[in-house]
Amino acid sequence: MAKVWRCTVCGHLHQGETPPEQCPVCGMGSDSFAAVAAEPAAMTATAADAGLFKELFAVFMPHAVAAHFPNALIPTIWLFLLLFATTALPSFESTAFYLLVMSLLAVPVTMATGLYDWKSRFDGVMTPLFRKKIFLSCQLLISLGLAVGLYWSNSGILQQHGGLFWLFLLLLVIALASVVLLGHYGAVLVFGAKRD
């Protein structure tokens, strides 16, 4: 059976006789890998014996939970904007706006929990992956903040189809692209780089 190696910086697991020359997730060298025992089965048994609440307390990841809110809300905003565009029902427009506000409120929580995880689980090591995630998080926060401000200060912005309308949509495109890329880089961090 091949050995399992864990990157001590990002936690990536590698199976093989020797550790990889470079971690595919965080980019650290082979010296950052340590051999690990078959701990997943032991952890599962311990967690099952501990009970649901003890297990949840022991392994709860606030950032993983918080990140799902903007990742779900922003595509839903687009759904309600499309429904408004096809039906002109004001309830769809107002729902899209309330979801936009909820997304804006969720992002600082997501950023704070992400920074905490980065500092506690990854020792705050600034790798290209974390640099991208921090940049995209800031971009998301700014685009959502500007979109809320534009909508709030320009009633009927979605009916005007002028420059502010297109700026509003551009900000929402940036927000959507940001959450897609943040989700992608989060998956790379958790599951490792895609192998061909």
Side-chain angles (χ1 to χ4, degrees):
M1 184 169 182
K3 294 181 182 176
V4 177
W5 303 85
R6 181 189 303 273
C7 177
T8 57
V9 174
C10 72
H12 172 71
L13 294 175
H14 171 80
Q15 192 171 1
E17 288 304 312
T18 60
E21 290 182 25
Q22 184 177 11
C23 178
V25 176
C26 69
M28 298 302 287
S30 62
D31 57 338
S32 68
F33 279 83
V36 294
E39 85 182 84
M43 283 176 50
T44 304
T46 304
D49 294 341
L52 175 65
F53 292 110
K54 287 182 181 179
E55 174 191 352
L56 185 61
F57 183 75
V59 298
F60 186 70
M61 299 282 189
H63 179 66
V65 174
H68 285 82
F69 284 92
N71 286 1
L73 291 175
I74 292 170
T76 309
I77 291 167
W78 278 99
L79 171 65
F80 278 96
L81 288 176
L82 290 172
L83 288 171
F84 174 69
T86 57
T87 65
L89 289 173
S91 59
F92 288 139
E93 179 184 9
S94 59
T95 301
F97 175 68
Y98 294 133
L99 290 171
L100 182 60
V101 171
M102 291 302 298
S103 298
L104 178 62
L105 295 174
V107 170
V109 175
T110 304
M111 290 175 74
T113 56
L115 288 172
Y116 174 78
D117 275 359
W118 175 53
K119 293 283 188 182
S120 61
R121 294 184 60 224
F122 304 104
D123 297 325
V125 175
M126 183 59 74
T127 65
L129 184 84
F130 289 115
R131 193 172 289 114
K132 289 173 190 173
K133 286 181 67 71
I134 291 168
F135 171 80
L136 288 166
S137 298
C138 293
Q139 178 176 277
L140 177 61
L141 182 63
I142 291 167
S143 63
L144 289 175
L146 291 174
V148 167
L150 265 179
Y151 187 94
W152 190 275
S153 62
N154 297 282
S155 62
I157 192 172
L158 295 178
Q159 293 90 12
Q160 294 171 3
H161 297 278
L164 292 179
F165 167 80
W166 293 109
L167 178 59
F168 179 75
L169 288 185
L170 175 63
L171 290 168
L172 292 182
V173 166
I174 292 169
L176 182 61
S178 298
V179 295
V180 167
L181 289 171
L182 282 164
H184 166 71
Y185 289 126
V188 168
L189 188 62
V190 172
F191 300 111
K194 182 180 177 184
R195 301 182 202 290
D196 293 327

